[in-house]
Amino acid sequence: MMELPATRAGHLGRALSATAILLFLAMPIVIILVTSFGADGIGTFPPKDYSARWYEQMAAPGGNWATSIALSSLVAALTTVFSLILGVTAATALARGRLPLHTVVYGLVLAPMLIPQVVIALGLFLFFEPVGMLGSPLAIALGHTVLATPIAILIMISTLRGIDERLEDAAASMGAGRMTIARRITFPLATPGLIAAAVFSFITSFDEFFIAQFMSTPDTRTLPVLVFNALQFDVDPTVTAVSAVLIALAILALALVAVVRKLGGHRHQQGVLPVEPLT
């Protein structure tokens, strides 16, 4: 079918439509960023006066916000480690193995992405409450791992399927063992996927609310739980500063993933592979 040449009016219309959609999507983010620098105590937009007082309050040592940020960072770091271990293992089995009932196993692994988070949170609460682990960073991290692991698995499956298996077969034919092949060929080529899985696992945990709400105690509240409490019982403009930091964190994470994947794609195009003996 022959395509009609695009007219100048058509180009202009698409450009205006795309600009309008982008502005609509970015408007809440812009409002939060501008409001976070307001000096008043009610969070009005646009602010009459500007100040960084809410960022200073958020970062005050020993304050509730700083404590919650530290707890969320710890939980997210643990979740990232657990998710990568489980994600790499499961993705390798699904992408490289010959599992019986492969489709069923694949569906079970990804089931936490389809089940409502509040249901998972309730189940985790009923599991950890009798053993007295409510409020434990380890328990919260294990709960977040349930949500983050399927994301890591999807990323790693896509990454492993993009690696030419003939490279691994060639190394095996020259006497390299499984661990040597994984260490010298598979994992170096899968580095962009590993970093992307780690970043998304960290962000998933850092932003998660339902599991943290069910698992937290008055002394251990992650950042999303503290934000919810601040909005539910009071109007605290510090929430706008926290939201701005979370937005910046998400943007930096996506930028990191994009850069790593671009560098990884460039390496693949250049055919960068280990040249030392595979021993």
Side-chain angles (χ1 to χ4, degrees):
M1 180 178 179
M2 184 177 64
E3 296 184 1
L4 296 177
T7 62
R8 181 175 299 180
H11 282 302
L12 181 60
R14 284 194 294 269
L16 292 176
S17 299
T19 302
I21 293 173
L22 290 176
L23 289 176
F24 175 77
L25 295 176
M27 182 173 57
I29 297 176
V30 173
I31 292 175
I32 288 294
L33 293 177
V34 173
T35 306
S36 66
F37 289 98
D40 58 78
I42 56 176
T44 57
F45 178 84
K48 296 181 180 179
D49 299 309
Y50 291 87
S51 171
R53 59 182 295 195
W54 308 121
Y55 289 92
E56 296 174 356
Q57 182 171 326
M58 176 190 66
N64 291 334
W65 294 104
T67 302
S68 293
I69 292 174
L71 176 61
S72 291
S73 300
L74 173 61
V75 170
L78 292 173
T79 300
T80 301
V81 174
F82 298 155
S83 298
L84 285 182
I85 294 174
L86 295 176
V88 171
T89 304
T92 302
L94 290 170
R96 293 285 193 265
R98 300 293 183 267
L99 297 177
L101 301 176
H102 180 276
T103 304
V104 176
V105 175
Y106 190 79
L108 290 176
V109 168
L110 301 183
M113 299 183 66
L114 305 177
I115 300 175
Q117 293 185 13
V118 66
V119 175
I120 298 176
L122 178 59
L124 291 170
F125 172 82
L126 296 176
F127 178 79
F128 284 110
E129 193 275 335
V131 295
M133 291 188 65
L134 293 183
S136 168
L138 177 60
I140 300 175
L142 291 174
H144 287 179
T145 302
V146 175
L147 299 180
T149 299
I151 299 175
I153 291 174
L154 287 177
I155 295 175
M156 290 310 303
I157 286 178
S158 176
T159 300
L160 292 175
R161 287 178 176 173
I163 297 175
D164 193 344
E165 294 188 45
R166 291 176 296 180
L167 299 174
E168 300 172 347
D169 294 338
S173 67
M174 299 179 68
R178 291 183 180 272
M179 292 302 299
T180 301
I181 294 174
R183 179 173 56 88
R184 300 298 302 277
I185 294 179
T186 306
F187 284 153
L189 292 177
T191 297
L194 287 169
I195 296 177
V199 169
F200 281 105
S201 296
F202 188 93
I203 294 298
T204 299
S205 173
F206 201 87
D207 292 342
E208 201 284 325
F209 168 73
F210 288 103
I211 291 177
Q213 174 75 341
F214 275 77
M215 300 288 293
S216 64
T217 62
D219 296 327
T220 56
R221 294 175 296 177
T222 62
L223 188 59
V225 174
L226 188 59
V227 168
F228 176 80
N229 292 341
L231 294 176
Q232 185 179 20
F233 302 113
D234 195 7
V235 179
D236 189 351
T238 311
V239 172
T240 60
V242 174
S243 301
V245 171
L246 292 177
I247 292 171
L249 178 64
I251 294 175
L252 290 175
L254 292 176
L256 174 62
V257 171
V259 170
V260 170
R261 293 187 71 87
K262 184 176 181 179
L263 293 177
H266 179 70
R267 287 184 60 196
H268 291 175
Q269 291 176 0
Q270 295 296 325
V272 178
L273 288 173
V275 296
E276 299 88 350
L278 293 175
T279 57

